[in-house]
Structure formats: structure tokens, C-alpha cells
Amino acid sequence: MGKHRLISISISVLLVLPVAAQSATSKKADNSKHSSAASSAERLGAAESWTAYAYEDKSGKVCYLIGDPQKTETPRGKGKRAVAMITHRPAEKATNVVSFVKGYPLKEGSDATLDIGGTKYDLFTKGDTAWARTSELDKAIVDAMMKGKQASVKAVPAKGASTTDTYSLAGFSEALTLIDKACEVKR
């Protein structure tokens, strides 16, 4: 994975997670810590546990969807919100970027395993997030998620035994259609 793509993706995650967390919980009085780009994200719609958003930044339009797990495990009950994300950044020629935020630090140098309907995909980890290694793998994962019923992500925390987050894929295709349309991504 190119350094530029990883930096772009990381910035995207940092910008969108505050919006997702804010929309899932009641608004806090102090939103000043959120970036102006993230706070101006437009909610495109939702289907089941998946919600689609879009915003403009200096490089152009960014569209993403966030899914909440049906079941999540955290080491010793600690950690932030786990989410699955698909991001499009057409101006940077980055579409279908897959990431799974676990919400707690993952073991350095470890891999995560994504299972969709019995097909397994190896993901690399950095910080608290698991990523696909290539854009081709991103696309294959998104295609599998469109057809699948459930996805599970197993990863190893910095301390403790491996954990698994399980996502229902009901509503995924509808939310994906919303971000595809907003960012003019053709399937």
C-alpha cells in the first residue's frame, strides 16, 4: 500500500469518526474539537446499521459509510466504538477503501482476518484499525459485502487474546449505493 494512500485514508478516518459518533449519540455541548470538514458532513441516509455521509475537503468530495457491529468484543471491556467503513475519495482516485476500526490498540505487526460467508481476507493493522492491503482487495471485499449476510473481523489487541466484531450486512448495499451516487462511482 502506498504511503500517500495510507495517509489519505488515515485522515479520512480521523475526520469522519467524530461525525459518526456524534450522530449515534446525543450532541455534546462542546463540538469545537471536531474539524470543520467533519462537522459539515451531510448525512445521505441510512439502511439497517449502515449510514452514508458526504463532505467536501480541499481535495474534493469525500463519501463514506459507517456500519456498527451487531456484536463486539473489547479487551477487558475497554475501548472506543468499533465501526466498519467504506470511503470514496474520487479526486484522489481512491474508491471502495475498506477499514475496520476496532476502538483499541492492536498488536503491532499483527494481521486481522475478515470473514465474509466463509471467505477469509487478511488485513494489515495500524493503531486501532485494520485495512485491506491493495485497492484490488478493497474492491473484492466490497463486492463480497454486497452479496454477503454477515462479516466478522478478528484481530489481536496490543494486550490480551484476540477479539471478534460481527457485522450484519443487511442494508450495506443500500448505503453503498448512496455514497456511489454522491461521489459518482460506477459499479
Side-chain angles (χ1 to χ4, degrees), residues 115-159:
D115 184 328
I116 304 170
T119 302
K120 297 191 186 222
Y121 304 89
D122 289 329
L123 308 174
F124 78 93
T125 64
K126 176 125 178 101
D128 70 347
T129 305
W131 307 87
R133 285 183 165 77
T134 66
S135 58
E136 292 80 15
L137 184 55
D138 279 329
K139 183 170 180 351
I141 290 170
V142 169
D143 289 345
M145 290 175 77
M146 287 173 30
K147 297 172 189 165
K149 294 184 192 260
Q150 183 174 291
S152 62
V153 181
K154 186 175 187 177
V156 180
K159 295 179 182 176

Side-chain angles (χ1 to χ4, degrees):
M1 168 171 285
K3 181 178 177 183
H4 175 70
R5 182 168 183 246
L6 182 58
I7 291 169
S8 171
I9 295 166
S10 297
I11 291 169
S12 176
V13 169
L14 292 174
L15 287 174
V16 299
L17 283 179
V19 171
Q22 179 180 348
S23 69
T25 61
S26 62
K27 289 187 178 185
K28 302 227 190 284
D30 180 19
N31 287 332
S32 62
K33 62 185 170 193
H34 301 302
S35 75
S36 61
S39 64
S40 65
E42 173 189 2
R43 185 178 186 269
L44 302 174
E48 303 290 332
S49 63
W50 299 91
T51 306
Y53 298 91
Y55 69 93
E56 295 274 341
D57 71 6
K58 62 183 175 185
S59 68
K61 193 160 201 170
V62 177
C63 305
Y64 62 96
L65 62 86
I66 294 178
D68 293 311
Q70 284 179 308
K71 181 181 174 193
T72 187
E73 300 173 347
T74 57
R76 295 187 180 102
K78 295 183 180 181
K80 297 177 186 171
R81 177 177 177 223
V83 295
M85 294 182 64
I86 308 298
T87 306
H88 297 326
R89 290 181 155 277
E92 296 177 17
K93 298 186 182 357
T95 59
N96 300 307
V97 177
V98 175
S99 59
F100 292 91
V101 178
K102 296 292 279 180
Y104 49 84
L106 298 171
K107 184 176 181 181
E108 192 171 323
S110 69
D111 284 344
T113 302
L114 170 63
D115 184 328
I116 304 170
T119 302
K120 297 191 186 222
Y121 304 89
D122 289 329
L123 308 174
F124 78 93
T125 64
K126 176 125 178 101
D128 70 347
T129 305
W131 307 87
R133 285 183 165 77
T134 66
S135 58
E136 292 80 15
L137 184 55
D138 279 329
K139 183 170 180 351
I141 290 170
V142 169
D143 289 345
M145 290 175 77
M146 287 173 30
K147 297 172 189 165
K149 294 184 192 260
Q150 183 174 291
S152 62
V153 181
K154 186 175 187 177
V156 180
K159 295 179 182 176
S162 64
T163 61
T164 302
D165 294 332
T166 305
Y167 296 85
S168 168
L169 296 176
F172 176 81
S173 292
E174 291 86 348
L176 184 65
T177 298
L178 292 172
I179 68 168
D180 286 353
K181 182 179 179 184
C183 272
E184 300 177 6
V185 171
K186 305 288 184 218
R187 294 246 159 243

